[in-house]
Amino acid sequence: MSLLYKNISDRIYQMVQEGAFSHGKRLPSIRDLSLQFQVSIGTVVQAYADLERRGIIQSRPQSGFYLSEDFQLIPQERLLSNLNKSKYQTAPQKVKLSELLQTVTLSARDSKTIPLGAANPSVDLLPAISLNRVMNKCLRQSKELSIHYDYPPGDFRLRKELSYRSTQWGCSILPSDFIITFGAMESITLALRAITKPGDVVAVESPCYFGILHAMESLGLRALEVPSDPQFGVQVDLLRENLKRYKLKAILLTPNFNNPLGSLIPDDHKKELARLSRQYEIPIIENDVMGDLYFGKNRPRTIKSYDKDGLVVLVSSFSKTLAPGYRVGWTSPGRYYDPIVQLKFTSSGGTATLNQFAVFEYMKTGAYDRHLTRFRPLLKSNLDEFTRAVIRHFPTGSKVSTPEGGYLLWVELPKQINSLDLHQKALQERISIVPGSLFSVTEHYRNYIRLNCANPWTPKIESAIKTLGNITASSLTE
Ligand SMILES: Cc1ncc(COP(=O)(O)O)c(C=O)c1O
């Protein structure tokens, strides 16, 4: 699907990268660009809005558009470019990753290891003290809170708060349409159990978060990996072809700041995905765990916001934004509400009241929004630091993603590098990373790694990146 405004914003971005516009130099006016590209003023406005959203340019009142003050140029050859569409297309395959996953996760458990692996924010970036204060207040309020659990669908106060917030995701979900679960992963597993049976085919993004592939393996499902673009996420054209070719049972996507790419599916594509879901009557399980961690002006919409038929099962949690250990997640499962609530009863029963209540209280006082207002720019600045350090210290041929939200950096290494070996060597230096092989049932990402950038940027972290770069460089000459 080609988007005219995207073509223009990409062209301007390319000009920026090749040095046509430096800091302080005014970009062409909207009118000039519309004449030059022979498009409407509205299309140029959209293109400039897209560049603003990506943090590349900023408008100055009464003056025009300029490069953003904190925008750093990444050389073109260091950017992960669009994927070659045909190269990665594969047929449905059985998932068999659990052994590898166990080896990698178990080996990185040492608390002295520099944690660039697991996708949890460092506790130093989370509001642990204010959250603990709220938790203590909850405990003082009622002695029962810490003892009880809520039967599915979970705490009504929290569901009301989620309903209130759902307008930010482009939805208007009722409190009675939510089910609270044990993290997002329980919601995803329950949705897969409600919709599929062993042997069924589920379309996923490629690369895909390994937790999802692991859940699919445990349910005996086959994965159809649909290549994802580092910037725009799953390639909708390819998904459309696959819907014609294969009998898919579900589509499982992380549209907002996908793990590991950090890609963001544009609104037009989200709308088209909802339309395809309706046309083929195939549910979409939409994972939005990173949706609140956007760097642009507005919170991105969800596919659910375009769903009129209850076919989108929206899933999220507070693990990436607030407290992974609370295990508070939720789903709004549309027409799958009844089977999912039943499955929730039989899989884990109730959900701890105290954790749900503390999250509710934290949101109710406005503390959650205040935390996010501080957290998002911090993550962006960390990602920039990590990106610059990778470019500085990794050998030529290494490329980076450019996430528009979240805190994960996806790094392509020269072809000869086996990221599993790199992972082992890094562990000897007490640095954990996640090797790319975990993000696919294929071998496509053997020379990729994922870095967790939600760590305070310190000389120790920079030195860890330098060490990783040195190990990579020396592996090239072995
Ligand atoms: C994309 C994605 N989805 C789901 C999860 C799991 O979320 P939770 O801890 O809420 O189960 C993770 C955790 O890393 C993730 O990265």
Side-chain angles (χ1 to χ4, degrees):
M1 198 189 295
S2 92
L3 299 166
L4 194 49
Y5 81 89
K6 270 285 178 200
N7 292 344
I8 295 172
S9 70
D10 282 351
R11 186 71 188 167
I12 302 282
Y13 185 41
Q14 221 176 340
M15 290 169 78
V16 168
Q17 284 179 319
E18 295 194 11
F21 309 110
S22 51
H23 284 282
K25 208 166 163 186
R26 192 155 65 89
L27 270 75
S29 71
I30 290 178
R31 181 170 294 279
D32 284 352
L33 270 194
S34 97
L35 285 173
Q36 191 188 330
F37 283 105
Q38 298 278 295
V39 295
S40 69
I41 295 270
T43 304
V44 180
V45 168
Q46 258 188 307
Y48 269 2
D50 182 53
L51 290 164
E52 265 192 298
R53 192 175 50 80
R54 289 154 67 185
I56 298 160
I57 64 168
Q58 61 189 168
S59 67
R60 288 193 203 152
Q62 320 279 311
S63 177
F65 290 91
Y66 294 82
L67 280 191
S68 288
E69 271 154 30
D70 52 3
F71 175 70
Q72 293 285 335
L73 290 179
I74 305 171
Q76 179 74 30
E77 68 278 10
R78 288 305 195 100
L79 282 178
L80 266 179
S81 53
N82 295 1
L83 296 169
N84 171 344
K85 291 190 182 187
S86 54
K87 203 164 112 193
Y88 290 101
Q89 190 54 70
T90 51
Q93 288 194 41
K94 258 178 97 167
V95 187
K96 217 173 168 312
L97 275 178
S98 56
E99 246 172 67
L100 184 58
L101 195 57
Q102 199 140 12
T103 320
V104 170
T105 45
L106 285 181
S107 59
R109 272 197 185 153
D110 181 350
S111 62
K112 293 202 182 75
T113 300
I114 299 175
L116 308 184
N120 287 329
S122 154
V123 74
D124 296 328
L125 301 186
L126 291 171
I129 293 174
S130 63
L131 191 56
N132 286 348
R133 219 177 283 131
V134 169
M135 182 65 105
N136 283 332
K137 193 177 134 213
C138 295
L139 282 169
R140 281 196 304 273
Q141 219 164 300
S142 153
K143 67 175 190 299
E144 290 173 10
L145 274 177
S146 61
I147 307 294
H148 283 312
Y149 57 76
D150 289 289
Y151 281 118
D155 189 287
F156 188 56
R157 294 157 294 198
L158 178 58
R159 287 185 289 124
K160 275 199 299 191
E161 185 64 30
L162 290 170
S163 168
Y164 167 71
R165 282 167 185 272
S166 69
T167 56
Q168 294 172 14
W169 325 323
C171 306
S172 51
I173 302 170
L174 300 174
S176 55
D177 290 335
F178 283 99
I179 304 169
I180 309 297
T181 57
F182 202 68
M185 230 26 252
E186 187 181 34
S187 286
I188 292 171
T189 308
L190 294 177
L192 287 171
R193 285 178 63 196
I195 293 165
T196 64
K197 55 181 188 335
D200 282 344
V201 180
V202 175
V204 295
E205 293 141 314
S206 182
C208 174
Y209 165 52
F210 50 81
I212 289 173
L213 293 172
H214 200 207
M216 287 176 58
E217 177 174 353
S218 74
L219 298 172
L221 297 169
R222 286 181 297 153
L224 176 71
E225 293 191 14
V226 184
S228 267
D229 179 276
Q231 210 182 335
F232 306 131
V234 75
Q235 299 195 31
V236 180
D237 294 346
L238 292 180
L239 183 61
R240 196 184 293 109
E241 282 169 28
N242 281 310
L243 280 162
K244 289 183 202 149
R245 193 175 309 149
Y246 298 107
K247 196 169 171 314
L248 301 180
K249 266 301 171 64
I251 300 165
L252 208 169
L253 303 172
T254 308
N256 297 330
F257 322 123
N258 156 287
N259 175 356
L261 283 176
S263 54
L264 171 63
I265 299 185
D267 284 351
D268 322 42
H269 293 205
K270 286 177 180 155
K271 195 171 181 180
E272 174 63 4
L273 287 162
R275 197 196 63 73
L276 287 172
S277 156
R278 185 180 328 126
Q279 181 185 342
Y280 289 88
E281 280 242 8
I282 294 179
I284 294 179
I285 303 169
E286 180 178 19
N287 180 8
D288 196 34
V289 285
M290 296 279 191
D292 279 343
L293 302 180
Y294 54 96
F295 302 150
K297 273 198 185 127
N298 301 311
R299 207 255 188 226
R301 294 177 72 123
T302 51
I303 301 174
K304 178 88 171 170
S305 68
Y306 298 104
D307 171 40
K308 297 186 179 59
D309 307 272
L311 275 163
V312 176
V313 179
L314 182 63
V315 163
S316 190
S317 74
F318 293 91
S319 304
K320 305 296 158 198
T321 52
L322 192 60
Y326 274 35
R327 311 305 298 134
V328 177
W330 53 264
T331 175
S332 169
R335 66 167 77 164
Y336 302 94
Y337 184 93
D338 288 341
I340 290 182
V341 90
Q342 274 308 321
L343 284 167
K344 166 72 182 146
F345 262 109
T346 55
S347 67
S348 59
T351 310
T353 305
L354 179 62
N355 295 8
Q356 294 178 78
F357 191 66
V359 170
F360 157 71
E361 279 283 320
Y362 197 73
M363 287 199 288
K364 194 185 76 177
T365 58
Y368 181 64
D369 291 319
R370 284 195 296 279
H371 154 60
L372 288 180
T373 305
R374 279 190 301 266
F375 195 38
R376 283 189 288 258
L378 202 60
L379 294 178
K380 167 84 177 101
S381 131
N382 274 15
L383 259 168
D384 288 346
E385 294 287 6
F386 270 76
T387 303
R388 284 193 285 268
V390 168
I391 289 170
R392 247 190 327 272
H393 298 302
F394 277 61
T396 316
S398 313
K399 296 178 181 180
V400 290
S401 58
T402 45
E404 295 183 40
Y407 46 82
L408 302 172
L409 194 66
W410 184 236
V411 185
E412 180 184 342
L413 305 170
K415 277 265 171 298
Q416 308 89 304
I417 301 293
N418 178 347
S419 60
L420 287 169
D421 292 344
L422 184 64
H423 160 76
Q424 281 306 330
K425 288 178 186 160
L427 273 184
Q428 284 160 21
E429 303 290 334
R430 296 232 151 122
I431 305 166
S432 72
I433 54 169
V434 183
S437 311
L438 288 185
F439 295 86
S440 173
V441 295
T442 70
E443 282 285 297
H444 290 319
Y445 307 108
R446 196 172 169 271
N447 58 314
Y448 287 75
I449 55 170
R450 189 196 71 186
L451 299 176
N452 169 17
C453 306
N455 284 289
W457 182 251
T458 58
K460 192 172 164 196
I461 296 280
E462 161 131 37
S463 152
I465 305 273
K466 190 172 178 185
T467 306
L468 288 174
N470 289 343
I471 303 173
T472 310
S474 56
S475 305
L476 282 175
T477 53
E478 274 169 12

